[in-house]
Amino acid sequence: VKAMKKQPIPEKIGLSDNALQVLEKRYLKKDKAGKAIEKPEDMIRRVARTIAAAELIYDPKCDVRSIEDEFYGLMARLEFLPNSPTLMNAGRELGQLSACFVLPIDDAIESIFDAVKHTAMIHKSGGGTGFSFSRLRPEKDRVGSTGGVASGPVSFMRAFDVATDVIKQGGTRRGANMAILSVDHPDIERFIKAKQTAGVLTNFNLSVAVTDAFMEAVRNNGEYELKNPHNGEVVEKKKARDIFDQIVNLAWKTGDPGVVFIDRINAGNPTPQLGKIESTNPCGEQPLLPYESCNLGSINLSKMVKSNGKKTIDYDKLGYTVRTAVRFLDDVIDVNKFPLPQIAERTRQTRKIGLGVMGFADMLIDLGIAYDSPAALDTAEAVMGFIESESHKASEELAAIRGTFPAYDGSVYDGKVKMRNASCTTIAPTGTLSIIAGCSSGIEPHFALCFTRNIMDGTKMVEVNPYFERASVEGGFFSKEMMEKLAGGAHLEEFANVPEAVKKLFVTAHQITPEGHVKMQAVFQKYTDNAVSKTVNFPANATVADVDKVYLMAFDDKLKGITIYRDGCKADQPMSTGKTE
Ligand code: ADP
């Protein structure tokens, strides 16, 4: 692996109060009384040391201390962070380091409840689980052994939901699940409506797996067949438009269900010889084979800007960060303690990693580029294109030393290029990581410039986006009163003393058109091996037709899936944006 440029290691990590609170609550080691017994610096050292130990497998004489320092520096400078389970569990008893899992569910009681148990084990360690329920026979179908009738996928989902509820009381964080049902399953309408009652399946995101043929039929006003997965019988024919309308209607109402374009996901399956991909992880960014897991990590783009008179992207630093991060994530696989032997085996066969970004919106502001401008799309193209190609180069370099991933023969890379990892890039939401790093989350625009945070003793404090604070102080229009009004829901446009250029630059999520959100997601998807987590925001007064248009646009723009959020709709998502924690 290429020579590493020495980077300074900070003595203290530049954490905000909020980041410290999050770390103390859930990440740092505690004593029996619940008091933190390690500092953030100790946590990062624990992680760096545990992960770097993997290097000894490949070269027992390597300078493991210097690699540990490279890893430590990357995290201590908040330039790169691995997913939460790695921070929480590395070097500790659990030792489970991955965020994303997919478990198979077969049409048998034993298989279903094995999966419930495995889900509990994964949630205990902070991982999230995705499942396809498509193999289960439909509700009211006959059950051979008892002569009774089947409960169907939606009923069984409740068992997973309750198990998740129970586990969260003892675990590190509330568990999260993705449930997928194929659009041609006879229970599809029941599934689409499954979350419409308040308080039901609150630990689940729902996505309908739609095929290309189904999308074709929606466009041509055609019909398609519902099939019983148990015996392959065609049960019914449906108008594709009717089902699509129901999906869109309910997504408009509550945000659920999303859709995944399952044929496109499988067209991008790097190891088709191992079987089909049928589900993603909870937030949709990581398609996986049954029993496969993946560890993610995110580069903080707000730290990748250099200034010599003019601000530009520091590609040298970014290249170094990508290479070191790929090596880190590949090492994670070797020291990971997997929750099940099947998961260990599958994951080690493909060695998927998911390197992504956070702080993209911060970086744009630093560069003086508005999120909803053509220049922002160009920047996304340049940055993610670079990360994608550098990460593949790094994986190739690792393959030359450590060998290809074991399932390389028959993979899409076979005979073309030797790779250490079947996939390298994923854009995660970075809900908590972005709080720790103090940057904007994932590739999302800023949600607000100011917001009110409840402090523990009951007082409230207005928090101002640091880039906006700087701009308003330098521009001479800073006032406490304005920040309070903004935190209360006022828009920047209402303030006459704020220059037009500032208003344009500090555009927030709700001012960006849904089409603008999709366009940004599409650019990132183009350069991402796995998928992209992105919320497409709609204003409260958006119509069902607006949502319909965007779901179709997502298909045309080659996304792997889409979820939307209409302001004020009754969404009950298991994932928190972190803003209220
Ligand atoms: P983080 O910032 O904590 O690393 P992300 O918000 O980037 O996590 O989410 C990445 C993935 O981690 C999710 O898609 C999911 O698989 C898993 N995950 C996140 N939050 C949870 C949770 N509360 N419970 C279980 N899994 C989670």
Side-chain angles (χ1 to χ4, degrees), residues 41 76 100 102 125 149 234 237 307 373 403 457 464 481 517 522 546 555:
E41 289 77 10
C100 313
V102 165
S125 65
V149 292
V234 174
K237 276 193 174 176
S307 169
S373 67
D457 61 6
V464 183
E481 193 197 345
H517 285 283
D546 295 334
F555 182 67

Side-chain angles (χ1 to χ4, degrees), residues 113-396:
F113 284 89
D114 273 349
V116 172
K117 173 179 164 192
H118 298 159
T119 298
M121 290 161 67
I122 291 168
H123 287 185
K124 190 173 99 173
S125 65
T129 37
F131 327 83
S132 162
F133 287 83
S134 304
R135 279 197 286 262
L136 300 194
R137 73 193 70 187
E139 191 176 327
K140 303 212 174 73
D141 207 36
R142 270 181 51 88
V143 178
S145 54
T146 60
V149 292
S151 306
V154 176
S155 301
F156 283 117
M157 280 161 59
R158 281 171 25 217
F160 290 80
D161 196 52
V162 171
T164 306
D165 267 332
V166 176
I167 288 296
K168 80 181 167 205
Q169 293 157 11
T172 41
R173 53 181 179 174
R174 179 183 169 185
N177 304 292
M178 168 67 88
I180 298 226
L181 197 72
S182 173
V183 74
D184 55 18
H185 192 284
D187 287 359
I188 190 64
E189 288 175 77
R190 221 164 274 137
F191 178 80
I192 293 169
K193 293 184 201 126
K195 277 191 69 169
Q196 297 306 305
T197 317
V200 167
L201 297 175
T202 51
N203 303 303
F204 268 99
N205 289 322
L206 304 185
S207 274
V208 178
V210 301
T211 56
D212 288 357
F214 174 82
M215 292 306 289
E216 234 5 64
V218 170
R219 282 252 153 81
N220 304 331
N221 219 1
E223 290 191 331
Y224 80 108
E225 292 170 344
L226 301 189
K227 285 194 199 115
N228 184 339
H230 181 54
N231 52 23
E233 268 173 28
V234 174
V235 176
E236 211 183 334
K237 276 193 174 176
K238 283 272 174 197
K239 275 191 82 167
R241 228 319 148 186
D242 285 350
I243 299 294
F244 194 71
D245 281 348
Q246 287 184 44
I247 295 173
V248 166
N249 243 300
L250 295 181
W252 174 86
K253 229 183 188 169
T254 66
D256 263 301
V259 297
V260 294
F261 301 117
I262 197 70
D263 290 339
R264 189 166 291 149
I265 285 177
N266 275 296
N269 178 1
T271 55
Q273 82 278 18
L274 299 183
K276 276 201 165 178
I277 294 176
E278 51 186 48
S279 182
T280 68
N281 68 332
C283 303
E285 73 276 16
Q286 188 63 49
L288 291 169
L289 296 163
Y291 286 128
E292 203 178 14
S293 71
C294 184
N295 66 96
L296 313 177
S298 299
I299 293 177
N300 180 355
L301 289 176
S302 77
K303 305 267 186 190
M304 299 295 146
V305 176
K306 67 177 175 188
S307 169
N308 23 29
K310 193 173 177 286
K311 297 229 169 145
T312 52
I313 296 168
D314 188 342
Y315 281 105
D316 280 346
K317 185 175 177 187
L318 183 57
Y320 161 77
T321 309
V322 171
R323 282 193 304 278
T324 315
V326 166
R327 185 170 177 163
F328 179 103
L329 295 173
D330 189 61
D331 284 350
V332 168
I333 299 168
D334 295 318
V335 295
N336 204 344
K337 290 190 196 157
F338 294 98
L340 292 170
Q342 300 94 304
I343 294 175
E345 190 189 339
R346 222 354 152 225
T347 307
R348 289 181 188 137
Q349 275 176 334
T350 57
R351 300 190 67 89
K352 281 182 187 167
I353 56 171
L355 180 63
V357 299
M358 56 186 163
F360 176 64
D362 289 341
M363 181 188 77
L364 287 179
I365 286 182
D366 210 11
L367 295 171
I369 297 169
Y371 190 96
D372 58 349
S373 67
L377 296 173
D378 292 346
T379 307
E381 182 118 21
V383 169
M384 202 57 210
F386 180 80
I387 294 174
E388 173 80 340
S389 90
E390 287 300 302
S391 65
H392 279 233
K393 273 188 231 158
S395 184
E396 252 185 273

Side-chain angles (χ1 to χ4, degrees), residues 83-84 99 126-128 173-176 281-283 285 428-433 575:
N83 56 211
S84 292
R173 53 181 179 174
R174 179 183 169 185
N281 68 332
C283 303
E285 73 276 16
T430 71
T432 329
L433 289 190
M575 311 304 306

Side-chain angles (χ1 to χ4, degrees), residues 65 255 281 506 540:
R65 188 60 209 248
N281 68 332
F506 286 95

